[in-house]
CSV table of all heavy atoms in Angstrom, one decimal:
chain,number,residue,atom,x,y,z
A,1,HIS,N,106.7,53.3,201.1
A,1,HIS,CA,105.9,52.1,200.9
A,1,HIS,C,105.4,52.2,199.4
A,1,HIS,O,105.3,50.9,198.8
A,1,HIS,CB,104.8,51.9,201.9
A,1,HIS,CG,105.3,51.7,203.4
A,1,HIS,ND1,106.0,50.6,203.7
A,1,HIS,CD2,105.3,52.6,204.4
A,1,HIS,CE1,106.4,50.8,205.1
A,1,HIS,NE2,105.9,52.0,205.4
A,2,ARG,N,104.9,53.3,198.9
A,2,ARG,CA,104.4,53.4,197.7
A,2,ARG,C,105.5,53.2,196.7
A,2,ARG,O,105.3,52.5,195.5
A,2,ARG,CB,103.8,54.7,197.5
A,2,ARG,CG,102.6,54.9,198.1
A,2,ARG,CD,102.0,56.5,197.8
A,2,ARG,NE,100.6,56.5,198.4
A,2,ARG,CZ,100.3,56.8,199.7
A,2,ARG,NH1,101.3,57.0,200.5
A,2,ARG,NH2,99.0,56.8,200.1
A,3,LEU,N,106.8,53.4,197.0
A,3,LEU,CA,107.8,53.2,195.9
A,3,LEU,C,108.0,51.7,195.7
A,3,LEU,O,108.2,51.1,194.8
A,3,LEU,CB,109.1,53.8,196.4
A,3,LEU,CG,109.3,55.3,196.5
A,3,LEU,CD1,110.5,55.9,197.1
A,3,LEU,CD2,109.0,56.0,195.1
A,4,TYR,N,107.9,51.0,197.0
A,4,TYR,CA,108.1,49.5,196.9
A,4,TYR,C,106.8,48.8,196.2
A,4,TYR,O,107.0,47.8,195.5
A,4,TYR,CB,108.3,48.8,198.1
A,4,TYR,CG,109.8,49.3,198.7
A,4,TYR,CD1,110.0,50.0,199.9
A,4,TYR,CD2,110.8,48.7,197.9
A,4,TYR,CE1,111.3,50.3,200.4
A,4,TYR,CE2,112.2,49.0,198.5
A,4,TYR,CZ,112.3,49.7,199.6
A,4,TYR,OH,113.7,50.0,200.1
A,5,GLU,N,105.7,49.3,196.5
A,5,GLU,CA,104.5,48.7,196.1
A,5,GLU,C,104.3,49.0,194.5
A,5,GLU,O,103.8,48.1,193.8
A,5,GLU,CB,103.2,49.4,196.7
A,5,GLU,CG,103.1,49.0,198.1
A,5,GLU,CD,101.8,49.8,198.7
A,5,GLU,OE1,101.0,50.4,198.0
A,5,GLU,OE2,101.8,49.8,200.0
A,6,CYS,N,104.9,49.9,194.0
A,6,CYS,CA,105.0,50.3,192.5
A,6,CYS,C,105.7,49.2,191.8
A,6,CYS,O,105.3,48.8,190.7
A,6,CYS,CB,105.5,51.7,192.3
A,6,CYS,SG,105.3,52.1,190.5
A,7,HIS,N,106.8,48.5,192.4
A,7,HIS,CA,107.5,47.4,191.8
A,7,HIS,C,106.7,46.3,191.5
A,7,HIS,O,106.9,45.6,190.5
A,7,HIS,CB,108.7,47.0,192.7
A,7,HIS,CG,109.8,48.2,192.6
A,7,HIS,ND1,109.8,49.3,193.4
A,7,HIS,CD2,111.1,48.1,192.0
A,7,HIS,CE1,110.9,49.9,193.1
A,7,HIS,NE2,111.7,49.3,192.3
A,8,ASP,N,105.7,46.2,192.4
A,8,ASP,CA,104.7,44.9,192.3
A,8,ASP,C,103.7,45.0,191.1
A,8,ASP,O,102.9,44.0,190.9
A,8,ASP,CB,104.1,44.7,193.6
A,8,ASP,CG,105.0,44.4,194.7
A,8,ASP,OD1,106.1,44.0,194.5
A,8,ASP,OD2,104.5,44.8,195.9
A,9,LYS,N,103.7,46.3,190.4
A,9,LYS,CA,102.6,46.3,189.5
A,9,LYS,C,103.0,46.5,188.1
A,9,LYS,O,102.1,46.8,187.2
A,9,LYS,CB,101.7,47.8,189.8
A,9,LYS,CG,101.2,47.8,191.2
A,9,LYS,CD,100.6,49.1,191.6
A,9,LYS,CE,99.9,49.1,192.9
A,9,LYS,NZ,98.8,48.3,193.0
A,10,ILE,N,104.3,46.5,187.9
A,10,ILE,CA,104.8,46.8,186.5
A,10,ILE,C,105.2,45.7,185.6
A,10,ILE,O,105.2,45.9,184.4
A,10,ILE,CB,105.9,47.9,186.6
A,10,ILE,CG1,107.2,47.3,187.4
A,10,ILE,CG2,105.4,49.3,187.2
A,10,ILE,CD1,108.2,48.2,187.6
A,11,LEU,N,105.6,44.7,186.2
A,11,LEU,CA,106.2,43.5,185.5
A,11,LEU,C,105.2,42.9,184.4
A,11,LEU,O,105.6,42.3,183.4
A,11,LEU,CB,106.7,42.4,186.3
A,11,LEU,CG,108.1,42.7,187.2
A,11,LEU,CD1,108.6,41.5,188.0
A,11,LEU,CD2,109.1,42.9,186.1
A,12,ALA,N,103.9,42.9,184.8
A,12,ALA,CA,103.0,42.4,183.9
A,12,ALA,C,102.8,43.1,182.6
A,12,ALA,O,102.3,42.6,181.5
A,12,ALA,CB,101.6,42.4,184.5
A,13,HIS,N,103.5,44.2,182.5
A,13,HIS,CA,103.3,45.1,181.3
A,13,HIS,C,104.5,45.2,180.4
A,13,HIS,O,104.8,46.0,179.5
A,13,HIS,CB,102.9,46.5,181.6
A,13,HIS,CG,101.6,46.5,182.4
A,13,HIS,ND1,100.4,46.1,182.0
A,13,HIS,CD2,101.4,46.8,183.8
A,13,HIS,CE1,99.5,46.3,182.9
A,13,HIS,NE2,100.2,46.7,184.1
A,14,LYS,N,105.5,44.3,180.7
A,14,LYS,CA,106.8,44.2,180.1
A,14,LYS,C,106.8,44.2,178.6
A,14,LYS,O,107.4,44.8,177.7
A,14,LYS,CB,107.8,43.3,180.7
A,14,LYS,CG,109.3,43.5,180.2
A,14,LYS,CD,110.2,42.5,180.9
A,14,LYS,CE,110.2,41.2,180.7
A,14,LYS,NZ,111.2,40.3,181.2
A,15,ARG,N,106.1,43.1,178.2
A,15,ARG,CA,105.9,42.7,176.6
A,15,ARG,C,105.3,43.9,176.0
A,15,ARG,O,105.7,44.4,174.9
A,15,ARG,CB,105.1,41.4,176.5
A,15,ARG,CG,104.9,41.1,175.1
A,15,ARG,CD,104.5,39.7,174.9
A,15,ARG,NE,104.1,39.4,173.5
A,15,ARG,CZ,103.9,38.2,173.1
A,15,ARG,NH1,104.1,37.1,173.7
A,15,ARG,NH2,103.6,38.0,171.8
A,16,SER,N,104.0,44.5,176.5
A,16,SER,CA,103.4,45.6,175.8
A,16,SER,C,104.3,46.8,175.9
A,16,SER,O,104.1,47.5,174.8
A,16,SER,CB,102.1,45.7,176.4
A,16,SER,OG,102.2,46.0,177.9
A,17,LEU,N,105.0,46.9,176.7
A,17,LEU,CA,105.9,48.2,176.9
A,17,LEU,C,106.8,48.0,175.5
A,17,LEU,O,107.1,49.1,174.9
A,17,LEU,CB,106.7,48.2,178.1
A,17,LEU,CG,107.8,49.3,178.2
A,17,LEU,CD1,107.1,50.7,178.1
A,17,LEU,CD2,108.7,49.2,179.2
A,18,PHE,N,107.6,47.0,175.4
A,18,PHE,CA,108.6,46.9,174.3
A,18,PHE,C,107.8,46.8,172.9
A,18,PHE,O,108.4,47.4,171.9
A,18,PHE,CB,109.5,45.6,174.4
A,18,PHE,CG,110.6,45.8,175.4
A,18,PHE,CD1,110.4,45.4,176.7
A,18,PHE,CD2,111.7,46.5,175.0
A,18,PHE,CE1,111.5,45.5,177.5
A,18,PHE,CE2,112.7,46.6,175.9
A,18,PHE,CZ,112.7,46.3,177.2
A,19,ASP,N,106.6,46.4,172.8
A,19,ASP,CA,105.9,46.5,171.5
A,19,ASP,C,105.6,48.1,171.3
A,19,ASP,O,105.7,48.6,170.3
A,19,ASP,CB,104.5,45.8,171.7
A,19,ASP,CG,104.6,44.2,171.7
A,19,ASP,OD1,105.7,43.9,171.1
A,19,ASP,OD2,103.8,43.7,172.0
A,20,HIS,N,105.2,48.7,172.3
A,20,HIS,CA,104.9,50.1,172.3
A,20,HIS,C,106.4,51.0,171.9
A,20,HIS,O,106.3,51.8,171.0
A,20,HIS,CB,104.5,50.7,173.6
A,20,HIS,CG,104.5,52.4,173.7
A,20,HIS,ND1,103.4,53.1,173.1
A,20,HIS,CD2,105.3,53.2,174.2
A,20,HIS,CE1,103.7,54.2,173.3
A,20,HIS,NE2,104.8,54.4,174.0
A,21,LEU,N,107.4,50.6,172.5
A,21,LEU,CA,108.7,51.4,172.4
A,21,LEU,C,109.3,51.0,170.9
A,21,LEU,O,109.7,52.1,170.3
A,21,LEU,CB,109.8,50.9,173.4
A,21,LEU,CG,109.5,51.5,174.8
A,21,LEU,CD1,110.5,51.0,175.8
A,21,LEU,CD2,109.5,53.0,174.8
A,22,THR,N,109.1,49.8,170.5
A,22,THR,CA,109.7,49.5,169.2
A,22,THR,C,109.0,50.3,168.1
A,22,THR,O,109.6,50.8,167.2
A,22,THR,CB,109.6,48.1,168.8
A,22,THR,OG1,108.3,47.6,169.1
A,22,THR,CG2,110.5,47.3,169.7
A,23,GLN,N,107.6,50.5,168.3
A,23,GLN,CA,106.9,51.3,167.2
A,23,GLN,C,107.2,52.8,167.4
A,23,GLN,O,107.4,53.4,166.3
A,23,GLN,CB,105.5,51.0,167.4
A,23,GLN,CG,104.6,51.8,166.4
A,23,GLN,CD,104.8,51.4,165.1
A,23,GLN,OE1,104.9,50.2,164.7
A,23,GLN,NE2,104.9,52.4,164.1
A,24,ARG,N,107.5,53.1,168.6
A,24,ARG,CA,107.8,54.6,168.8
A,24,ARG,C,109.1,55.0,168.3
A,24,ARG,O,109.3,56.0,167.6
A,24,ARG,CB,107.7,54.9,170.3
A,24,ARG,CG,107.7,56.5,170.6
A,24,ARG,CD,106.5,57.2,170.0
A,24,ARG,NE,106.7,58.6,170.2
A,24,ARG,CZ,106.2,59.5,169.4
A,24,ARG,NH1,105.6,59.1,168.2
A,24,ARG,NH2,106.4,60.8,169.6
A,25,TRP,N,110.2,54.1,168.5
A,25,TRP,CA,111.4,54.4,167.9
A,25,TRP,C,111.3,54.4,166.3
A,25,TRP,O,112.2,55.0,165.6
A,25,TRP,CB,112.5,53.3,168.5
A,25,TRP,CG,112.8,53.7,169.8
A,25,TRP,CD1,113.1,54.9,170.4
A,25,TRP,CD2,113.0,52.8,170.9
A,25,TRP,NE1,113.3,54.8,171.7
A,25,TRP,CE2,113.5,53.4,172.1
A,25,TRP,CE3,113.0,51.3,171.1
A,25,TRP,CZ2,113.7,52.9,173.3
A,25,TRP,CZ3,113.4,50.7,172.2
A,25,TRP,CH2,113.7,51.4,173.3
A,26,ARG,N,110.7,53.5,165.8
A,26,ARG,CA,110.4,53.4,164.3
A,26,ARG,C,109.9,54.7,163.8
A,26,ARG,O,110.3,55.1,162.7
A,26,ARG,CB,109.5,52.2,163.9
A,26,ARG,CG,109.5,52.0,162.4
A,26,ARG,CD,108.6,50.9,162.1
A,26,ARG,NE,109.1,49.5,162.5
A,26,ARG,CZ,108.8,48.6,163.4
A,26,ARG,NH1,107.7,49.1,164.2
A,26,ARG,NH2,109.4,47.5,163.6
A,27,ASP,N,108.9,55.3,164.5
A,27,ASP,CA,108.3,56.5,164.1
A,27,ASP,C,109.2,57.8,164.3
A,27,ASP,O,109.3,58.6,163.4
A,27,ASP,CB,107.1,56.8,164.9
A,27,ASP,CG,105.9,55.7,164.6
A,27,ASP,OD1,106.1,55.0,163.7
A,27,ASP,OD2,105.1,55.6,165.5
A,28,LEU,N,110.1,57.7,165.3
A,28,LEU,CA,110.9,58.8,165.6
A,28,LEU,C,112.1,58.8,164.9
A,28,LEU,O,112.5,59.9,164.3
A,28,LEU,CB,111.3,58.9,167.1
A,28,LEU,CG,110.1,59.2,168.1
A,28,LEU,CD1,110.5,59.1,169.5
A,28,LEU,CD2,109.6,60.7,167.9
A,29,PHE,N,112.9,57.7,164.8
A,29,PHE,CA,114.1,57.7,164.3
A,29,PHE,C,114.2,56.7,163.0
A,29,PHE,O,115.4,56.5,162.4
A,29,PHE,CB,115.3,57.2,165.2
A,29,PHE,CG,115.1,58.0,166.4
A,29,PHE,CD1,114.6,57.4,167.7
A,29,PHE,CD2,115.5,59.2,166.5
A,29,PHE,CE1,114.5,58.3,168.9
A,29,PHE,CE2,115.4,60.1,167.6
A,29,PHE,CZ,114.9,59.5,168.8
A,30,GLY,N,113.1,56.0,162.6
A,30,GLY,CA,113.2,55.1,161.5
A,30,GLY,C,114.1,53.9,161.8
A,30,GLY,O,114.8,53.3,160.9
A,31,VAL,N,114.0,53.5,163.0
A,31,VAL,CA,114.8,52.3,163.4
A,31,VAL,C,114.2,51.0,162.7
A,31,VAL,O,113.1,50.8,162.6
A,31,VAL,CB,114.7,52.1,165.0
A,31,VAL,CG1,115.5,50.8,165.4
A,31,VAL,CG2,115.2,53.3,165.6
A,32,ARG,N,115.3,50.3,162.2
A,32,ARG,CA,115.0,48.9,161.6
A,32,ARG,C,115.5,47.9,162.4
A,32,ARG,O,116.5,48.0,163.0
A,32,ARG,CB,115.6,48.9,160.1
A,32,ARG,CG,115.1,50.1,159.3
A,32,ARG,CD,115.9,50.0,158.0
A,32,ARG,NE,115.4,48.9,157.2
A,32,ARG,CZ,115.9,48.6,155.8
A,32,ARG,NH1,116.7,49.5,155.3
A,32,ARG,NH2,115.5,47.7,155.2
A,33,TYR,N,114.8,46.8,162.3
A,33,TYR,CA,115.0,45.7,163.3
A,33,TYR,C,115.5,44.4,162.4
A,33,TYR,O,115.0,43.2,162.8
A,33,TYR,CB,113.8,45.3,164.2
A,33,TYR,CG,113.4,46.5,165.0
A,33,TYR,CD1,112.4,47.3,164.6
A,33,TYR,CD2,114.0,46.9,166.2
A,33,TYR,CE1,111.9,48.5,165.3
A,33,TYR,CE2,113.7,48.1,167.0
A,33,TYR,CZ,112.6,48.8,166.5
A,33,TYR,OH,112.3,49.9,167.1
A,34,GLU,N,116.3,44.6,161.5
A,34,GLU,CA,116.7,43.4,160.6
A,34,GLU,C,118.0,42.8,161.4
A,34,GLU,O,118.1,41.6,161.1
A,34,GLU,CB,117.1,44.0,159.3
A,34,GLU,CG,115.8,44.4,158.5
A,34,GLU,CD,116.2,45.2,157.2
A,34,GLU,OE1,117.5,45.3,156.9
A,34,GLU,OE2,115.4,45.6,156.4
A,35,VAL,N,118.8,43.5,162.0
A,35,VAL,CA,120.1,43.1,162.5
A,35,VAL,C,119.9,43.1,164.1
A,35,VAL,O,119.5,44.3,164.7
A,35,VAL,CB,121.3,43.8,162.3
A,35,VAL,CG1,122.6,43.3,162.9
A,35,VAL,CG2,121.5,43.7,160.7
A,36,LEU,N,120.0,42.0,164.7
A,36,LEU,CA,119.8,41.9,166.3
A,36,LEU,C,121.0,41.5,166.8
A,36,LEU,O,121.7,40.5,166.4
A,36,LEU,CB,118.5,41.0,166.6
A,36,LEU,CG,117.3,41.4,166.0
A,36,LEU,CD1,116.3,40.2,166.5
A,36,LEU,CD2,116.8,42.7,166.3
A,37,LEU,N,121.5,42.1,167.8
A,37,LEU,CA,122.7,41.8,168.6
A,37,LEU,C,122.4,41.2,170.0
A,37,LEU,O,121.5,41.8,170.7
A,37,LEU,CB,123.6,43.1,168.9
A,37,LEU,CG,123.8,44.0,167.7
A,37,LEU,CD1,124.6,45.3,168.0
A,37,LEU,CD2,124.4,43.4,166.5
A,38,TYR,N,123.0,40.0,170.3
A,38,TYR,CA,122.5,39.2,171.4
A,38,TYR,C,123.8,39.0,172.2
A,38,TYR,O,124.8,38.5,171.7
A,38,TYR,CB,121.9,37.8,171.0
A,38,TYR,CG,121.4,37.0,172.0
A,38,TYR,CD1,120.6,37.4,173.1
A,38,TYR,CD2,121.9,35.8,172.3
A,38,TYR,CE1,120.2,36.7,174.1
A,38,TYR,CE2,121.5,35.0,173.3
A,38,TYR,CZ,120.6,35.4,174.2
A,38,TYR,OH,120.3,34.6,175.2
A,39,ASP,N,123.6,39.2,173.5
A,39,ASP,CA,124.7,39.0,174.6
A,39,ASP,C,124.1,38.8,175.9
A,39,ASP,O,122.9,39.2,176.2
A,39,ASP,CB,125.8,39.9,174.5
A,39,ASP,CG,127.2,39.5,174.8
A,39,ASP,OD1,127.3,38.3,175.3
A,39,ASP,OD2,128.1,40.2,174.8
A,40,LEU,N,124.9,38.3,176.8
A,40,LEU,CA,124.6,38.1,178.3
A,40,LEU,C,125.7,38.9,179.2
A,40,LEU,O,126.7,38.9,178.7
A,40,LEU,CB,124.4,36.7,178.6
A,40,LEU,CG,123.5,35.9,177.8
A,40,LEU,CD1,124.2,35.1,176.7
A,40,LEU,CD2,122.7,35.0,178.8
A,41,THR,N,125.0,39.2,180.3
A,41,THR,CA,126.0,39.7,181.3
A,41,THR,C,125.5,39.2,182.7
A,41,THR,O,124.4,38.6,182.8
A,41,THR,CB,126.1,41.2,181.2
A,41,THR,OG1,127.3,41.7,182.2
A,41,THR,CG2,125.0,41.9,181.8
A,42,SER,N,126.2,39.5,183.7
A,42,SER,CA,125.7,39.1,185.1
A,42,SER,C,125.9,40.4,186.0
A,42,SER,O,126.7,41.3,185.8
A,42,SER,CB,126.6,38.0,185.5
A,42,SER,OG,127.9,38.3,185.7
A,43,THR,N,125.1,40.3,187.1
A,43,THR,CA,125.2,41.3,188.1
A,43,THR,C,125.2,40.7,189.4
A,43,THR,O,124.2,39.9,189.7
A,43,THR,CB,124.1,42.6,187.9
A,43,THR,OG1,124.5,43.5,189.0
A,43,THR,CG2,122.8,42.1,188.1
A,44,TYR,N,126.1,41.0,190.5
A,44,TYR,CA,126.2,40.3,191.7
A,44,TYR,C,125.5,41.1,192.8
A,44,TYR,O,125.2,42.2,192.6
A,44,TYR,CB,127.7,40.0,192.0
A,44,TYR,CG,128.6,41.2,192.1
A,44,TYR,CD1,128.6,41.9,193.3
A,44,TYR,CD2,129.3,41.7,191.1
A,44,TYR,CE1,129.4,43.1,193.5
A,44,TYR,CE2,130.0,42.9,191.3
A,44,TYR,CZ,130.0,43.6,192.4
A,44,TYR,OH,130.9,44.6,192.6
A,45,PHE,N,125.3,40.3,194.0
A,45,PHE,CA,124.7,40.9,195.1
A,45,PHE,C,125.8,40.7,196.2
A,45,PHE,O,126.2,39.6,196.4
A,45,PHE,CB,123.4,40.0,195.5
A,45,PHE,CG,122.4,40.1,194.4
A,45,PHE,CD1,122.4,39.4,193.3
A,45,PHE,CD2,121.3,40.9,194.8
A,45,PHE,CE1,121.4,39.5,192.3
A,45,PHE,CE2,120.1,41.0,193.8
A,45,PHE,CZ,120.3,40.3,192.5
A,46,GLU,N,126.0,41.7,196.9
A,46,GLU,CA,126.8,41.7,198.1
A,46,GLU,C,126.0,41.4,199.3
A,46,GLU,O,125.8,42.2,200.2
A,46,GLU,CB,127.7,43.0,198.2
A,46,GLU,CG,128.7,43.2,197.0
A,46,GLU,CD,129.5,44.4,197.3
A,46,GLU,OE1,128.9,45.5,197.7
A,46,GLU,OE2,130.7,44.5,196.8
A,47,CYS,N,125.7,40.1,199.5
A,47,CYS,CA,124.8,39.8,200.5
A,47,CYS,C,125.1,38.3,200.8
A,47,CYS,O,125.7,37.6,200.0
A,47,CYS,CB,123.3,40.0,200.2
A,47,CYS,SG,122.6,39.2,199.0
A,48,ALA,N,124.4,37.7,201.9
A,48,ALA,CA,124.3,36.3,202.1
A,48,ALA,C,123.7,35.5,201.2
A,48,ALA,O,122.7,36.0,200.5
A,48,ALA,CB,123.9,36.0,203.5
């Protein structure tokens, strides 16, 4: 039950997480964000 309840608490922090990660990767590896690659994919559900 705790595993499932944890899913309900994390989505609100998605934006702040990527702000944190982009800065961390910049500090660790000197990552630059001048070129952005954009694409889409899909994932299916084997259910009704």
Side-chain angles (χ1 to χ4, degrees):
H1 297 292
R2 286 179 172 83
L3 295 177
Y4 287 119
E5 289 175 19
C6 185
H7 285 79
D8 302 331
K9 301 177 179 294
I10 58 179
L11 283 178
H13 309 291
K14 184 170 73 171
R15 174 166 175 164
S16 57
L17 173 69
F18 278 100
D19 287 337
H20 169 81
L21 290 175
T22 51
Q23 182 59 46
R24 190 63 185 148
W25 286 322
R26 186 181 286 112
D27 297 338
L28 289 173
F29 308 109
V31 178
R32 304 176 68 179
Y33 303 98
E34 298 174 351
V35 180
L36 303 182
L37 314 178
Y38 178 57
D39 205 354
L40 300 97
T41 190
S42 59
T43 182
Y44 61 87
F45 297 74
E46 291 181 328
C47 65

